[in-house]
Structures are given as structure tokens and as C-alpha cells.
Amino acid sequence: MASILYEVVRLTCPQVGICVSLLIFVGRKAMGISLLHLPLRFPTFTGGVHPDDNKRHTAHLKIEELSAPKKMIFPTLQNAGAPGEVVVEVGDSVKVGQLLIKQCGIISANHHCSVSGTVIAIEPHLHPCGSHVKSVIVENDEKYEVFRNIKPLGHPENLTKEEIIKAVSNAGIVGMGGAAFPTHIKLSPPSGKKINHIIINGAECEPFLTSDYRVMLEDTDELLIGCGALLKAVDASECIIVAESNKKDAIAKIKQNPIYQKNEKIKTAIVKTKYPQGGEKQLLSAVLKKEVPPGGLPADIGAVVVNIDTCAAVARSITTGMPLITRVVTVSGGAVANKRNFKVRIGTPVADAINAVGGFTAEPAKILLGGPMMGVAIHSTDIPVTKGVGAILALTEKDVGIKVTTNCTQCGKCVDVCPMNLMPTIIDRYCENFDAEMLEKLNIADCIECGSCTFICPARRDPLQRIRTAKKKINAFKK
Amino acid sequence: MEKMLRVGAAPHIFTKDSTAVIMQDVVIALLPALAAGVYFFGYRAALLAIISIASAVAFEHLWNVAFKKPTTVYDFSAVVSGLLLALNLPPTVPVWIPVVGSFFMIIIVKMCFGGMGQNFLNPALGARAFLVVSWPSIMTSYVNSGAKLIPFLLPDAVTSATPLSGEAATRYIDLFIGNIGGCIGETSKIALLIGLAYLLIRKVITWRIPVAFVGTVAALSWVFAGDGYFNGDWLFHILSGGLFLGAFFMATDYSTTPVTKNGAFVFGIGCGVLTVIIRLIGGYPEGVSYSILLMNVASPLIEKATAPKRFGKAGFKSA
Ligand code: SF4
Ligand code: SF4
């Protein structure tokens, strides 16, 4: 019996093996598809990791309004690029939507008051970046009087391209996915570059975060009006709203909306749930099947990526005329019991958001602004929520995990997961014995600092931290 | 609330795996093979394994003590190496063989090069090669399975050859379950397959090296090992000798294999080609360990040659 089975396997396997390999090979070469990938899978990028997404805690919770406290803090730096210039003085009375900080330099943004009250100080204050940054401190009179200049600009369809970009710039809109890059600059690509695809980034690949998801569900109209405005602003041929496969219901909701149904330029796409799916380059590679060239921008492949909440903010800045003064923030993590999705007035200190959920129920090990993969850990809660902050997370020791560092085992896991096709373990080696030339050969500048390598490393090495330090060293060297 | 919070840079969460957990997984995956060895060769197999592991851990600890370094034995890599060495020994070796082997393995092959992750040769295979060269007759005398060897009593040989040397006629089912002569851990293919499945499920290793290695051996022996071409008994070739043990547990060693995905394929295929060449042309009946050692040496080169394509250089992704 056994030997009959043996003979059958022995005689048939080579033929079957040859056929299967031929099929795979021909499939790859001739049809450009890999038969190793099932057609039903959602598109994605190569590499990446699967941390526990922890979205179950807040995904079902409606966005609630968080009432603003007495003391509000407005840093001059809430965007990538240069800080703005303060245009009010101590003692001035200010209103909701009034300009406090004016953009200054090319890459910069306006920042407005989100409450009404009095400017009580203009001084350096703790900032998410870890140091003190010049900030306008306003005492809230809790009357919320709206600034007189705020009036609706009408429907985006009746505005010109320039008017829309002007409105976005005036409203101080920046990328609300974390990087806080001023949106009006994204919408004005360098001459000679045409933007054809607008990608609305609802991937929200960071664990715990549900703010974009809630915006997709609850502010669908605004989101879609925003899409229309962006389409007009850059004269693109399509606007694709993208979400990860764990947010299919949000895409379904969008598809039911009449604005979506009327505008055939607005499309949707679902991508695989995987970190860092929401990275600009990774998202474009999944959706458009095109890779942004090294050192390049999405505009180089005719695309621009805009975050969900940002897109809704664009709509608001036009339909109501109100600048960007609120954003949706997820308050979550193992150390808070009453996890929430809040609409927060920008400038609200973190401490007030945490008090509003009833404080901590467990000892927090780290408090983060943003997600656990790329967010910043803050050492004090007297830091305001700024435009790029999508979450306040209080993680316990258990969430953070223990750290026992050993030698690198050369397991290659970091190489497998790096979404930028780098070799973190080898880069790590040359960071330790600093060798700028080798590091540039290894394309260290391509690193998007997503943290996948450090996340996956079983030896608890921290390639990313060394990469950051080495990048700084190399940049200092170049100057 | 003015307690100091931990800061530190992102990311703030990590995988639950650690070096120690991974190494423990490898030990678990090797247990079926060890159990099969004990079943077929008697308790002596277990004794050799214990001696080998204990001395490997002891040598690593002593090295750290001697050089005033924090001890590294808690990462469990010495346990894995010790167990692998024992599985690569014939069950009849005297008890000092695993001690000498462990010394060579831990001190010379591993710690002299900087410890875990820094060595360029597979420790267990390096030690085995050293033992074979130094005591060839001890290291190549095998007993038939079913020889219930008792600890501490050296058998006076019911020795037999392994099937690969072409003297013993073997039933295929015996080949599969391990009822044959050979090293302690290499004979039972079913036990090794269970171990492989565990490693794959736990994502300790990927399928690339084992599949490339075994597949290459199968293909080449089908083509070349028979009378004429394309009718070699490839199934016999992959089921005999130390191929599964080598391909699943030794060619997948982290430190001594390429870190890149394509490099893993190249490595596996290279091991397979060398194994078949040594088996068919070379003087040794078994080529798995030498081919892995040779490829270990080539591994840094393979790594360099198979660096992943820079993101954005491709223009269009291939699906
Ligand atoms: S090297 Fe950079 S891009 Fe690659 S995984 Fe690490 S942090 Fe992400
Ligand atoms: S994941 Fe960690 S242990 Fe593995 S190769 Fe990368 S740095 Fe080394």
C-alpha cells in the first residue's frame, strides 16, 4: 500500500510541478499578473506589518463635542514648514474664527482662534515637538461670538479654481493626517506638473485611531463637497476616496450619498488593512499601481493625497467660511476607560480632553499625540491639540510591552516588512559604525520613518531610531 | 498628574515576539524529531541531547563570565544550537563527543565571532563538520533503528550504513517515519515535517529556503540521479539523509542566511545544487551539511546581490 502511494507520488509530481511552474511563469510574464496572488485580495503595497488595530474600542462611538476650557493655547507652529507671525496683542479681545497667526514664508499656514475671549499672553509654551514654541494664550469667555468677517463663500461649484485655493489658504488648512503640510501648497503643484488623481486618504492605518472613520460616516456630505472643491481646484480627472478593508461600511455609506452618485469623477477604493497603508507613497502604490520616484512627490506621478478630515475642512471653509478651528480626535488607549471620539476645538490642552473622559483608570506609561506607530510621546499634558493631532492615546505598560534588547539575529524580518524596500538591519549596522557613504548607497534618505522595522524586530533593536540620528548627522554634514 | 511620563520616539508598540520566544519556538519544533530519535534509538539519544544542550549553555555562560559581559544564555540560542548538534550526531557516539562538539560550536564558531547573529557559519553544522574530520569513524558509524541503546553503555555496534550509501534496501514507509539508521534527529521525516509546519505557522521562518532547497534537490535528482535522464528516484533522495533536518532547521538559521527574500531563494537553490553534486559526484554519501556550510560563506555576497529594488525605481509595480 505504502509503496503504491510512493510510486504514484514519485511518478506524477514532476509533471505536475512542471505544469504549475510554467503556469506561474507564463502568468507573470504574459499577463502581467501573478497567479500566486488571489484575485479577490485587496490591493496593497509590498511589506508592512499587522499590529492589533484596537479600533473596536471607539469605532462605534459617535463624534461628541468637547467643550473648551478657560485657557486655550495656539502655537505659532501647527504645520510643517515655518512658524507663522502673531497678528494680535496681549489684551486684544478675539472672536471665533479670528486670525491670530498669519502665514509667514512659503511653506506656512494661518492659524485662527477657536473660541472668543481675550489674549492673555504671547509666550513660549510647551509644544508637541517637545520644546517650547511661541504661542498665543487666550482666555475663553465661553460666549463663542463669531468673528464678523466670517461668511459663507457659496457653493464650490460657483467658485473659480483660484478662489478655492485662496479660501483653503485663508482658512489655514493643513494635512490633518499627521504631517500637517499646508494644503494650499499641495494644491498648487510646481509648473509643468499636472495633477490628475486626487486620493482622499481614509486608510487610517494607525492602530486605535477612528477619527477619520467617524468623519466618513457622519460628515459624508461635507467630505463629498470637499471632493468636488478639490477636483475643481486642481482640475483633476478623478478623486478616489480610499479606505482600508476594515472600513468597508464607510465606503458603502459614501456610495449611497446622492452627491457621490451625481458626480462620476468621485470614486472609491478599498485597500488591504495593513500598516503603513496610509503612507502617501504606499497608498499611491496600492491604488494607482505607480510608485513615487525616490526623493519625489506624489505630484511627480500626477497625484495628490489629501486626508479625510482635511477634505471635510476644505468643504467647511467654503460653505460656512469658517476657518479650520476644530478637528476630530480619538481619545483611547489602555489607560482610559471612557474612550471617545471628540470634536475638539484646536488649542484645547490635552489635560482637558483627558479630564473629559474621566481621567485615567490605570497608570499610563506613555501619552501619545497621534497613533502608536508614528505619534509623539509627550511628557506633560499641558500641551494643546494642534491641527495634525488625530488622537490622544494613553498607553499602559501592557500596551507598550517590555523591552529586552539582544544582538540582531539577522532574521531579516525588518527587511521583509520595510515598505520602502530598504534593508534596516544593514543600515543599522552602518549607523552604528557611522559610514555616510555606505548609508547613502543604502538609500537611507528614502526611509519614511514608519517604524515597521522597529515594530517587528524580535531582538527589540531600534533600527528607526538609529536611522533618524544618522539622517540628521548626514544632513548636518551636507550643510 | 505631574508624574514624569516616559517619552521615547515612535513606534510605541511592538510585536509580542522576542528573540527568546523565537528560539523557544525552534526548540518546540525540534521536539518531535528528538522524540522520534529516542523512540527509534533508545534513551541514549535523550542523554546525548541533554549533555549537548547543557554543555552549550554552560560554555556560553562561561564565555560571558570570562569576558565580564552580561550573560546571553537567556536568549535561548545556545539551547537551540545544543539541541541541533545532538540531532546531528549518530546515537552511538561516546558521551564526550557532544561536549567537545559544543565547545567548538559555542566558543569557536559562535562567540569568537561576536555571539548570536554575528557568526557566519551555522554553529551546529560547523561543529559537526569538525567532529567528522577529527573522529571520522565515530561520527559515521550508525546503528539500525530499533537498537534500544541504553545510556552510558557503549554498544558494540550493530552498525549499518545509512540508506544513501546504497547498501541497505529500505522500505519507503520506514524512510518516512524514520525507522532507519542515521543521526538522531534526521531519520523521522514525519516528525521534521510537523516541526516545519509549526515554524511556518508561528512565522518563525518563511517557506522560501525549505521549499527552494528541497525542490532543487528533488528536481535535480529526478533529472540526473537515474539511469539516463528524467527518471531518477527523487522521492527517495529527498526522504533520505539529513535533507529535511538541514533544509528546515539549519538552512533557515537566521544569522548565516541572507536577509533578503530573493536571497533566500538563491540560498536554497544553491544548497540544493551543491547537495546533489556532492551526493552524485563527490565522495561523501551525504552532502547536506557541507552544502549549507558552503552557502553560509557565500551568504553575504548573495545578500548584496539580491538587495530589494529601490522603491520608485520600478515605475510600475508588477502586480
Ligand atoms: S527603514 Fe524606515 S521606511 Fe523602512 S521600515 Fe524602517 S522606518 Fe519604515
Ligand atoms: S528584525 Fe531585528 S533582529 Fe531581525 S534582522 Fe532586523 S534588526 Fe536584526
Side-chain angles (χ1 to χ4, degrees):
Chain A
M1 185 54 210
S3 28
I4 295 172
L5 193 67
Y6 179 90
E7 285 302 317
V8 171
V9 172
R10 187 171 77 83
L11 293 175
T12 52
C13 274
Q15 282 76 9
V16 174
I18 290 174
C19 293
V20 171
S21 345
L22 269 179
L23 261 177
I24 292 174
F25 187 76
V26 172
R28 272 238 161 118
K29 291 282 169 221
M31 296 177 267
I33 51 163
S34 161
L35 296 184
L36 290 172
H37 292 130
L38 300 173
L40 283 175
R41 286 212 202 144
F42 296 112
T44 186
F45 59 97
T46 47
V49 292
H50 297 275
D52 179 358
D53 79 356
N54 274 306
K55 293 184 193 289
R56 56 189 173 276
H57 310 301
T58 49
H60 57 288
L61 297 172
K62 279 226 161 76
I63 301 173
E64 290 169 49
E65 192 97 26
L66 176 74
S67 54
K70 270 257 139 289
K71 186 179 131 189
M72 300 288 281
I73 307 150
F74 302 93
T76 51
L77 187 64
Q78 298 192 39
N79 51 271
E85 187 188 359
V86 178
V87 293
V88 289
E89 273 164 32
V90 176
D92 281 5
S93 108
V94 288
K95 301 276 166 355
V96 177
Q98 182 171 350
L99 186 68
L100 295 180
I101 296 146
K102 205 176 115 203
Q103 69 184 63
C104 177
I106 302 166
I107 302 183
S108 183
N110 289 340
H111 302 296
H112 304 80
C113 194
S114 60
V115 295
S116 57
T118 321
V119 177
I120 51 173
I122 297 170
E123 62 185 21
H125 193 278
L126 271 180
H127 184 269
C129 73
S131 50
H132 286 72
V133 167
K134 187 168 174 192
S135 307
V136 178
I137 318 247
V138 174
E139 192 180 47
N140 181 5
D141 63 12
E142 292 177 16
K143 289 187 194 136
Y144 301 103
E145 289 167 34
V146 175
F147 188 52
R148 59 183 183 286
N149 285 3
I150 308 286
K151 43 185 174 297
L153 303 178
H155 196 274
E157 263 160 37
N158 309 325
L159 298 182
T160 65
K161 186 177 157 141
E162 289 72 26
E163 279 169 333
I164 295 175
I165 297 181
K166 185 99 195 304
V168 169
S169 165
N170 284 345
I173 295 176
V174 302
M176 288 154 83
F181 193 82
T183 304
H184 63 273
I185 298 173
K186 270 196 185 174
L187 299 181
S188 333
S191 59
K193 298 231 165 86
K194 172 87 183 72
I195 304 248
N196 280 317
H197 321 273
I198 302 169
I199 310 293
I200 306 296
N201 186 354
E204 200 163 52
C205 56
E206 280 265 17
F208 291 100
L209 272 62
T210 52
S211 43
D212 289 347
Y213 171 70
R214 287 316 304 185
V215 172
M216 279 192 269
L217 283 181
E218 294 180 39
D219 297 343
T220 323
D221 283 350
E222 278 173 1
L223 177 62
L224 289 165
I225 294 172
C227 290
L230 292 173
L231 274 167
K232 187 134 194 205
V234 297
D235 196 15
S237 56
E238 59 177 359
C239 173
I240 314 176
I241 304 175
V242 191
E244 280 186 343
S245 52
N246 57 2
K247 293 178 269 290
K248 283 192 210 109
D249 50 335
I251 293 292
K253 177 99 196 274
I254 290 169
K255 282 189 170 169
Q256 283 162 13
N257 193 294
I259 310 179
Y260 169 82
Q261 287 162 353
K262 258 184 261 153
N263 192 340
E264 79 283 3
K265 281 186 180 173
I266 303 179
K267 300 169 186 163
T268 59
I270 297 176
V271 291
K272 188 174 171 188
T273 304
K274 186 166 75 170
Y275 179 87
Q277 185 67 71
E280 277 190 344
K281 293 180 177 173
Q282 281 60 44
L283 198 65
L284 291 170
S285 134
V287 179
L288 299 179
K289 300 267 173 286
K290 281 186 195 166
E291 292 184 350
V292 178
L297 292 171
D300 294 332
I301 56 169
V304 61
V305 180
V306 180
N307 166 268
I308 289 278
D309 211 2
T310 313
C311 183
V314 168
R316 273 192 294 271
S317 73
I318 295 167
T319 53
T320 65
M322 184 57 86
L324 176 53
I325 55 163
T326 61
R327 68 152 302 145
V328 182
V329 175
T330 301
V331 183
S332 185
V336 288
N338 297 313
K339 304 168 174 75
R340 288 279 190 281
N341 293 305
F342 276 133
K343 177 171 274 181
V344 178
R345 287 180 190 264
I346 285 161
T348 306
V350 170
D352 294 282
I354 289 172
N355 286 339
V357 296
F360 299 117
T361 49
E363 181 90 359
K366 274 186 177 178
I367 296 185
L368 308 181
L369 295 184
M373 293 299 289
M374 286 185 89
V376 283
I378 51 176
H379 59 278
S380 154
T381 50
D382 189 23
I383 287 179
V385 170
T386 55
K387 291 176 181 174
V389 173
I392 299 170
L393 302 179
L395 299 186
T396 57
E397 284 299 336
K398 197 167 140 258
D399 297 329
V400 175
I402 36 154
K403 196 174 160 99
V404 187
T405 307
T406 68
N407 272 359
C408 165
T409 57
Q410 303 281 316
C411 67
K413 287 178 196 273
C414 52
V415 180
D416 280 1
V417 302
C418 177
M420 296 306 291
N421 298 352
L422 304 175
M423 298 202 275
T425 168
I426 298 184
I427 296 183
D428 188 61
R429 206 181 299 156
Y430 286 106
C431 289
E432 218 166 0
N433 316 315
F434 186 73
D435 180 343
E437 208 175 302
M438 257 330 273
L439 286 173
E440 280 191 39
K441 266 195 206 143
L442 292 164
N443 304 323
I444 185 174
D446 287 2
C447 172
I448 55 166
E449 311 197 357
C450 68
S452 300
C453 49
T454 300
F455 171 84
I456 203 73
C457 180
R460 289 290 190 285
R461 321 237 351 132
D462 194 346
L464 171 56
Q465 189 49 31
R466 293 233 184 77
I467 290 174
R468 279 196 198 104
T469 322
K471 267 188 182 173
K472 274 192 203 125
K473 255 198 218 169
I474 293 174
N475 285 341
F477 200 64
K478 277 190 185 152
K479 271 177 201 160
Chain B
M1 190 42 259
E2 275 325 301
K3 207 182 69 68
M4 267 317 265
L5 292 160
R6 268 208 280 153
V7 278
H12 308 282
I13 50 171
F14 306 97
T15 151
K16 299 227 160 19
D17 283 340
S18 67
T19 305
V21 168
I22 284 181
M23 294 297 167
Q24 285 158 8
D25 275 340
V26 179
V27 172
I28 293 171
L30 283 169
L31 288 182
L34 178 63
V38 173
Y39 177 78
F40 288 117
F41 299 115
Y43 289 110
R44 194 184 168 80
L47 175 76
L48 292 175
I50 291 168
I51 295 177
S52 176
I53 293 171
S55 44
V57 172
F59 285 128
E60 181 155 327
H61 186 67
L62 286 177
W63 171 279
N64 286 320
V65 171
F67 287 89
K68 301 207 167 50
K69 285 191 190 141
T71 188
T72 49
V73 299
Y74 297 112
D75 65 26
F76 270 77
S77 63
V79 177
V80 170
S81 303
L83 185 51
L84 275 174
L85 175 63
L87 296 181
N88 272 295
L89 296 174
T92 45
V93 296
V95 290
W96 53 266
I97 281 279
V99 180
V100 176
S102 285
F103 176 81
F104 187 82
M105 169 173 80
I106 296 293
I107 303 297
I108 313 282
V109 184
K110 188 177 170 193
M111 299 317 268
C112 276
F113 288 95
M116 181 181 60
Q118 309 284 315
N119 52 300
F120 70 96
L121 285 183
N122 184 306
L125 286 181
R128 176 184 151 126
F130 163 78
L131 292 172
V132 170
V133 170
S134 315
W135 295 279
S137 60
I138 295 179
M139 286 296 291
T140 51
S141 67
Y142 298 100
V143 285
N144 273 325
S145 59
K148 301 265 178 251
L149 302 173
I150 316 151
F152 303 113
L153 244 185
L154 255 193
D156 39 23
V158 254
T159 54
S160 76
T162 61
L164 260 186
S165 49
E167 291 157 26
T170 316
R171 279 174 53 219
Y172 298 120
I173 186 74
D174 291 339
L175 214 50
F176 193 61
I177 62 168
N179 197 8
I180 44 167
C183 292
I184 295 172
E186 74 182 18
T187 58
S188 177
K189 305 303 167 313
I190 177 80
L192 290 165
L193 282 170
I194 293 170
L196 174 70
Y198 180 77
L199 288 188
L200 290 176
I201 290 168
R202 294 278 300 140
K203 296 210 167 87
V204 172
I205 59 171
T206 63
W207 54 274
R208 296 185 187 99
I209 291 179
V211 169
F213 194 166
V214 175
T216 307
V217 171
L220 288 182
S221 47
W222 179 60
V223 177
F224 294 113
D227 310 323
Y229 295 112
F230 300 106
N231 65 353
D233 191 347
W234 59 272
L235 198 50
F236 174 78
H237 264 273
I238 61 172
L239 288 180
S240 50
L243 179 63
F244 277 14
L245 180 62
F248 301 167
F249 292 97
M250 256 114 44
T252 53
D253 172 45
Y254 286 159
S255 329
T256 55
T257 55
V259 292
T260 56
K261 285 181 194 173
N262 289 339
F265 280 121
V266 175
F267 185 89
I269 292 172
C271 285
V273 171
L274 288 175
T275 302
V276 174
I277 290 178
I278 297 176
R279 277 186 181 180
L280 296 185
I281 305 171
Y284 291 97
E286 175 56 308
V288 172
S289 33
Y290 289 105
S291 54
I292 296 176
L293 286 173
L294 280 171
M295 292 307 287
N296 283 166
V297 179
S299 164
L301 281 178
I302 297 174
E303 214 161 76
K304 227 180 220 161
T306 55
K309 197 159 30 166
R310 188 173 188 188
F311 187 95
K313 276 288 180 204
F316 281 85
K317 269 205 320 177
S318 61

